[in-house]
């Protein structure tokens, strides 16, 4: 089990209590590559296609995004932090997730990545300009690695409310009144993907982009077959990074699950949720606090049925924290909060889901009847 040293003095264990049941046992996946091509620094943005950009912009503003740029064909969304945009939505005939873009730490990393993958460095169509390498992961998702020529400037923040705690009184003679307004998005935090080729996709992100695993989940009675979900962070060395920038899990489909966007605090998250509810949007699950990552969370569906999360107060890990291992279960998704909904779990049957299961069981991938039954059992546990 990994230990995290703080300033070379006291030693703390990252995988105690609710965070993870235990560390790896001999012979299990190490959760990192010995010699990755590069090490990406963060998610840059996510790319979507939608037929109605006006409707997408209305939801984006209600959810708390700022508008970085808008044309007849593209909508670029941003948070309040300086840096790259959070999302680009391109006009198209259908609603679909295209893929993620990761941020290269240095411009030279793009050249190294292009040489290592047999691709080329190209101009990136992004506000402020930049360069990019376009790849395809084993699941079939287009993945861009970008280096932006110019960062967006910071915007005014939604300030955290002062809290009284025990004998510490930071607020006197002043009632607490969180404003009923959109949760002001600060930044893109992570994206979660479903894949039929979990092992191959996991190794690709570790070997190619230099990411490292914070936590593995495995199916009950099938740990010897390896993990079926991974929470993956960027390797920033001694600089703490989000517990996960990318999460992936094995499933019968291949696609987007949800993406998460940081807000100031619990009041921002909750008041922003009330704002969304008053405007007729549908909450998928929340409010609660996760186990892996520890985030306060609240999940919503946009008009195109994509799931987006407001989160606050997530875990940060340095590079020397090795993966934790825990069983995969619905009850293990949160420390507190309402039970996970069928909508969040994707448990409602649909013709497309049935087709996904049939294709997965017939195809050349990592799904088989035992894995499928294990996933169904985890969803009910």
């Amino acid at each position: 089990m990994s230990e995290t040293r703080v300033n070379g003095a006291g030693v703390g264990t990252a995988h105690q209590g609710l965070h993870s049941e235990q560390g790896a046992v001999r012979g299990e996946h190490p959760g990192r590559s010995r010699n990755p091509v590069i090490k990406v620094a963060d998610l840059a943005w996510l790319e979507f296609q939608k037929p109605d950009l006006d409707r997408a912009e209305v939801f984006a503003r209600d959810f708390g995004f700022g508008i970085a740029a808008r044309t007849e064909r593209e909508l670029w969304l941003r948070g309040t932090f300086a840096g790259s945009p959070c999302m680009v939505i391109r006009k198209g005939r259908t609603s679909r997730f295209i893929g993620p873009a990761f941020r290269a730490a240095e411009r030279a990393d793009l050249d190294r990545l292009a040489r290592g993958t047999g691709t080329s460095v190209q101009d990136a169509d992004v506000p402020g300009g930049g360069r990019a390498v376009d790849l395809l992961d084993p699941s079939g998702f287009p993945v861009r690695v970008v280096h932006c020529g110019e960062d967006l400037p910071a915007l005014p923040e939604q300030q955290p409310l002062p809290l009284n705690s025990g004998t510490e009184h930071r607020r006197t003679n002043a009632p607490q009144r969180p404003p009923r307004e959109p949760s002001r998005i600060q930044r893109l935090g992570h994206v979660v993907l479903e894949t039929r080729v979990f092992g191959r996709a996991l190794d690709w992100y570790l070997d190619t982009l230099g990411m490292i695993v914070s936590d593995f989940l495995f199916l009950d009675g099938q740990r010897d077959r390896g993990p079926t979900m991974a929470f993956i962070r960027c390797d920033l060395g001694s600089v703490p990074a989000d517990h996960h920038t990318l999460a992936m899990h094995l499933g019968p489909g291949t696609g987007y699950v949800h993406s998460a966007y940081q807000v100031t605090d619990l009041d921002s998250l909750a008041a922003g949720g009330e704002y969304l509810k008053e405007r007729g949007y549908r909450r998928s699950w929340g409010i609660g606090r996760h186990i892996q990552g520890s985030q306060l969370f609240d999940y919503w569906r946009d008009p195109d049925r994509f799931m987006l999360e407001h989160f606050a107060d997530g875990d940060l890990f340095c590079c020397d924290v090795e993966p934790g291992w825990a069983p995969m279960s619905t009850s293990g998704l949160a420390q507190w909060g309402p039970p996970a909904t069928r909508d969040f779990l994707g448990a409602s049957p649909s013709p497309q889901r049935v087709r996904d299961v049939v294709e997965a069981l017939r195809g050349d991938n990592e799904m088989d009847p035992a894995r499928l039954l294990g996933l169904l059992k985890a969803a009910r546990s």
Side-chain angles (χ1 to χ4, degrees), residues 37-210:
V37 180
I38 65 166
K39 293 184 178 182
V40 293
D42 204 352
L43 265 178
W45 60 80
L46 304 177
E47 301 197 10
F48 292 83
Q49 176 184 287
K50 296 186 178 184
D52 190 338
L53 295 190
D54 291 334
R55 185 176 70 170
E57 182 175 347
V58 170
F59 173 80
R61 292 184 184 275
D62 288 341
F63 194 73
F65 289 107
I67 307 301
R70 172 70 197 268
T71 69
E72 290 185 1
R73 305 295 305 176
E74 292 182 346
L75 173 63
W76 288 87
L77 306 179
R78 62 160 300 172
T80 58
F81 285 1
S84 64
C86 295
M87 184 188 298
V88 57
I89 304 173
R90 307 186 195 278
K91 190 174 181 64
R93 294 179 59 185
T94 60
S95 294
R96 66 185 182 96
F97 174 67
I98 298 173
F102 291 87
R103 179 168 61 85
E106 300 177 356
R107 169 63 181 83
D109 285 343
L110 296 185
D111 298 319
R112 185 177 304 110
L113 180 62
R115 289 194 302 270
T117 58
T119 55
S120 61
V121 181
Q122 302 176 355
D123 289 335
D125 179 17
V126 56
R131 303 280 282 169
V133 172
D134 291 328
L135 306 169
L136 198 68
D137 80 0
S139 304
F141 290 114
V143 175
R144 306 194 86 189
V145 180
V146 301
H147 188 267
C148 295
E150 181 180 334
D151 283 345
L152 297 171
L155 297 177
E157 288 290 329
Q158 196 170 32
Q159 295 301 314
L161 297 181
L163 302 179
N164 291 334
S165 177
T167 59
E168 182 181 349
H169 301 152
R170 300 176 57 204
R171 177 176 54 84
T172 58
N173 299 327
Q176 199 74 286
R177 297 293 185 268
R180 188 63 61 86
E181 62 183 9
S183 304
R184 205 169 302 173
I185 300 300
Q186 295 175 325
R187 65 183 180 94
L188 167 63
H190 63 260
V191 64
V192 180
L193 305 175
E194 179 179 341
T195 175
R196 300 172 181 173
V197 290
F198 171 81
R200 280 184 276 164
L202 171 66
D203 288 343
W204 186 88
Y205 282 96
L206 306 191
D207 294 339
T208 308
L209 304 187

Side-chain angles (χ1 to χ4, degrees), residues 141-368:
F141 290 114
V143 175
R144 306 194 86 189
V145 180
V146 301
H147 188 267
C148 295
E150 181 180 334
D151 283 345
L152 297 171
L155 297 177
E157 288 290 329
Q158 196 170 32
Q159 295 301 314
L161 297 181
L163 302 179
N164 291 334
S165 177
T167 59
E168 182 181 349
H169 301 152
R170 300 176 57 204
R171 177 176 54 84
T172 58
N173 299 327
Q176 199 74 286
R177 297 293 185 268
R180 188 63 61 86
E181 62 183 9
S183 304
R184 205 169 302 173
I185 300 300
Q186 295 175 325
R187 65 183 180 94
L188 167 63
H190 63 260
V191 64
V192 180
L193 305 175
E194 179 179 341
T195 175
R196 300 172 181 173
V197 290
F198 171 81
R200 280 184 276 164
L202 171 66
D203 288 343
W204 186 88
Y205 282 96
L206 306 191
D207 294 339
T208 308
L209 304 187
M211 305 182 81
I212 55 181
V213 175
S214 297
D215 278 288
F216 282 123
L217 301 184
F218 57 89
L219 294 176
D220 184 41
Q222 299 186 35
R223 182 167 180 170
D224 60 332
R225 296 190 61 184
T228 49
M229 186 166 188
F231 296 87
I232 309 164
R233 69 187 185 276
C234 295
D235 182 358
L236 305 183
S238 61
V239 177
D242 286 336
H243 173 273
H244 55 285
T245 299
L246 168 68
M248 290 190 303
H249 68 79
L250 178 66
T254 297
Y256 169 94
V257 179
H258 76 260
S259 52
Y261 304 87
Q262 181 176 292
V263 300
T264 301
D265 59 10
L266 178 58
D267 277 292
S268 170
L269 180 146
E274 292 301 303
Y275 183 91
L276 286 167
K277 186 168 64 175
E278 289 169 355
R279 279 151 183 78
Y281 298 108
R282 179 183 174 186
R283 174 180 273 124
S284 181
W285 182 34
I287 298 171
R289 186 182 282 277
H290 280 306
I291 295 181
Q292 277 77 22
S294 302
Q295 301 95 332
L296 296 163
F297 65 81
D298 197 17
Y299 292 91
W300 294 84
R301 293 279 185 183
D302 76 1
D304 295 280
R305 297 287 301 155
F306 290 108
M307 191 189 301
L308 291 85
E309 174 190 2
H310 284 142
F311 80 92
D313 190 34
D315 291 339
L316 300 171
F317 283 2
C318 299
C319 68
D320 55 355
V321 177
E322 295 182 3
W325 288 72
M328 195 173 185
S329 69
T330 295
S331 61
L333 292 173
Q335 300 179 45
W336 57 262
T341 63
R342 291 180 62 84
D343 179 75
F344 174 82
L345 295 171
S348 299
S350 68
Q352 181 58 53
R353 200 60 171 168
V354 173
R355 287 193 293 269
D356 287 343
V357 170
V358 172
E359 290 175 6
L361 293 178
R362 289 177 175 174
D364 179 18
N365 55 65
E366 297 167 30
M367 286 295 299
D368 57 36

